[in-house]
């Protein structure tokens, strides 16, 4: 009993930007992009707002859980690309889906935002007796990408993902789970170290002058170093908290930042690369949407029955600099 993941959903536009198209926009090549990032395509949401993406992903997750929309009592949206300051993206999602009497707020922690949001939702559901919550990561990064900067424009894409959480201490069952098993969040960790050297930033548009870059600005080398160090610490802490070992892990769903980062984390952690789910080749880096989109795809094709009693880790790292992870038990 506790807080369970009972459903997932995701949404991306049908507009695809592939590497060949990018090579016609900037001085790059398909081979260069794949070798350095693992990315082949990314989705661009020209006809959607961030909140449109979030609402569609949330709607899909609710339908997959066989819930009524009004069962949702809490909506948290993680994003760095919200289209309004007030109302928040979460309230706009509730409006778009006609969900009434619902607590709503946003979290901005860049690529770690979804993991932070899961952690916050878990605590609030326990303390406020909330039965069901929707936690969403949604980004329209294409509007903050400098399409003339070949080092960064190849990395990012648009999309949204959502998980539905159930408080089984109240409902006494996980009968609505689309996975035919319980996926209980048994441990979590979040943290951060202030980015003094500004390795990853996006300036506010109303603060921009001629000296300020209004787009995503990233020091890829330093972010790689940070991610491959902190990722190992996150995994170790989650295992230690639950007193389990690496052999009990069945699946790792990491932030899809760069295939090289995932390769390094797999090698340094000693966890079989086959257990690491990767879909960055299709979507690129979608920041806070990255983990829930990956989770939706990973869990859709996962063999739960043969892995009962084992664990799933999801982790993220990014701007702030922030990091976090959750440990899920398959019951």
């Amino acid at each position: 009993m506790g807080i369970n993941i009972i459903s997932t959903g995701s949404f991306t536009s049908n507009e695809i930007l592939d590497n060949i198209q990018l090579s016609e926009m900037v001085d790059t090549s398909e081979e260069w992009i794949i070798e350095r990032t693992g990315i082949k395509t990314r989705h661009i949401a020209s006809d959607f707002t961030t909140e449109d993406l979030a609402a569609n992903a949330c709607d899909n997750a609710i339908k997959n859980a066989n819930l009524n929309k009004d069962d949702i009592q809490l909506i948290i949206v993680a994003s760095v690309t919200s289209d309004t300051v007030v109302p928040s993206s979460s309230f706009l999602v509730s409006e778009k889906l006609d969900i009434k009497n619902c607590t709503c707020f946003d979290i901005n922690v860049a690529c770690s935002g979804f993991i932070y949001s899961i952690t916050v939702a878990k605590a609030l559901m326990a303390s406020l007796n909330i039965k069901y919550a929707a936690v969403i990561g949604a980004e329209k990064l294409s509007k903050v990408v400098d399409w003339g900067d070949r080092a960064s424009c190849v990395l990012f894409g648009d999309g949204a993902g959502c998980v539905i959480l159930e408080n089984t201490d109240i409902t006494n069952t996980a009968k609505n789970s689309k996975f035919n098993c319980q996926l209980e969040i048994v441990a979590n960790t979040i943290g951060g170290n202030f980015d003094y050297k500004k390795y990853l930033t996006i300036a506010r548009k109303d603060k921009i002058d001629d000296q300020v870059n209004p787009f995503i600005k990233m020091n890829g080398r330093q972010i790689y170093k940070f991610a491959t160090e902190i990722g190992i610490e996150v995994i170790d802490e989650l295992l230690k908290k639950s007193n389990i070992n690496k052999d009990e892990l069945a699946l790792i769903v990491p932030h899809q930042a760069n295939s090289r980062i995932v390769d390094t984390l797999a090698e340094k952690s000693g966890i079989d690369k086959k257990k690491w789910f990767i879909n960055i080749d299709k979507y690129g880096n979608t920041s806070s949407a990255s983990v829930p989109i990956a989770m939706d795809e990973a869990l859709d094709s996962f063999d739960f029955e043969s892995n009962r009693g084992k664990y799933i880790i999801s982790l993220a790292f990014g701007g702030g600099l922030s990091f976090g992870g959750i440990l899920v038990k398959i019951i």
Side-chain angles (χ1 to χ4, degrees):
M1 308 300 283
I3 307 301
N4 284 12
I5 297 172
I6 63 167
S7 179
T8 59
S10 60
F11 182 82
T12 54
S13 75
N14 291 324
E15 183 180 350
I16 305 295
L17 179 63
D18 64 30
N19 293 339
I20 294 176
Q21 292 169 297
L22 267 175
S23 68
E24 296 170 352
M25 297 165 56
V26 293
D27 181 18
T28 188
S29 68
E30 182 171 31
E31 294 76 15
W32 187 91
I33 297 171
I34 293 174
E35 179 185 349
R36 286 162 177 77
T37 70
I39 301 168
K40 297 179 181 178
T41 61
R42 67 285 294 146
H43 293 250
I44 305 298
S46 297
D47 297 328
F48 298 90
T49 65
T50 301
E51 292 73 25
D52 290 334
L53 298 172
N56 277 290
C58 184
D59 191 40
N60 289 335
I62 292 171
K63 289 175 179 176
N64 288 336
N66 294 315
L67 290 175
N68 295 318
K69 292 178 181 178
D70 286 335
D71 289 328
I72 304 299
Q73 299 168 290
L74 171 66
I75 298 174
I76 304 176
V77 173
S79 184
V80 299
T81 55
S82 297
D83 288 285
T84 61
V85 177
V86 178
S88 65
S89 293
S90 53
F91 275 105
L92 290 173
V93 169
S94 71
E95 184 270 334
K96 289 176 182 293
L97 298 182
D98 194 27
I99 298 174
K100 299 179 176 63
N101 301 316
C102 184
T103 300
C104 301
F105 62 93
D106 293 357
I107 288 180
N108 177 342
V109 202
C111 303
S112 304
F114 179 77
I115 297 295
Y116 267 62
S117 298
I118 287 281
T119 301
V120 172
K122 181 174 179 283
L124 287 178
M125 293 176 76
S127 64
L128 299 179
N129 294 321
I130 293 171
K131 289 184 179 180
Y132 296 102
V135 181
I136 307 164
E139 301 288 6
K140 186 174 176 177
L141 293 172
S142 58
K143 67 184 182 182
V144 292
V145 166
D146 180 353
W147 293 105
D149 176 12
R150 76 165 191 165
S152 64
C153 74
V154 302
L155 296 172
F156 300 104
D158 304 336
C162 176
V163 302
I164 304 299
L165 302 181
E166 179 183 38
N167 188 341
T168 56
D169 287 333
I170 299 175
T171 62
N172 296 315
T173 178
K175 65 181 179 181
N176 292 305
S177 175
K178 84 172 196 177
F179 308 115
N180 295 316
C181 66
Q182 292 190 50
L183 298 179
E184 183 181 355
I185 303 171
V186 295
N188 47 267
T189 182
I190 56 175
N193 298 298
F194 183 66
D195 186 6
Y196 287 101
K197 295 188 178 181
K198 298 183 179 181
Y199 292 142
L200 179 55
T201 61
I202 304 175
R204 280 178 60 103
K205 288 186 177 180
D206 60 354
K207 298 293 183 182
I208 292 170
D209 56 35
D210 292 339
Q211 305 301 315
V212 178
N213 185 338
F215 305 113
I216 297 173
K217 184 178 179 182
M218 185 175 70
N219 184 320
R221 180 173 297 180
Q222 292 299 326
I223 292 297
Y224 168 87
K225 182 180 179 182
F226 167 73
T228 53
E229 290 176 355
I230 203 66
I232 299 301
E233 293 181 19
V234 168
I235 292 170
D236 289 344
E237 182 174 348
L238 290 172
L239 296 177
K240 184 178 179 180
K241 279 186 174 182
S242 298
N243 194 30
I244 64 172
N245 60 55
K246 296 172 185 178
D247 293 337
E248 296 177 79
L249 296 174
L251 176 67
I252 313 290
V253 184
H255 168 43
Q256 308 292 307
N258 186 306
S259 61
R260 285 183 168 182
I261 291 176
V262 178
D263 289 344
T264 301
L265 286 172
E267 182 180 352
K268 290 176 68 174
S269 68
I271 299 171
D272 190 340
K273 179 68 182 302
K274 294 179 182 178
K275 295 182 179 181
W276 294 74
F277 182 82
I278 299 178
N279 66 356
I280 191 174
D281 58 313
K282 295 187 290 184
Y283 301 103
N285 181 347
T286 55
S287 189
S288 63
S290 163
V291 168
I293 291 174
M295 191 175 291
D296 184 39
E297 289 197 357
L299 297 185
D300 253 2
S301 59
F302 186 71
D303 181 4
F304 291 101
E305 192 59 39
S306 64
N307 284 291
R308 287 185 185 271
K310 293 187 177 181
Y311 297 82
I312 299 168
I313 279 181
S314 187
L315 70 154
F317 31 78
L321 297 165
S322 61
F323 57 88
I326 59 172
L327 181 70
V328 177
K329 186 173 183 179
I330 305 166
I331 302 172

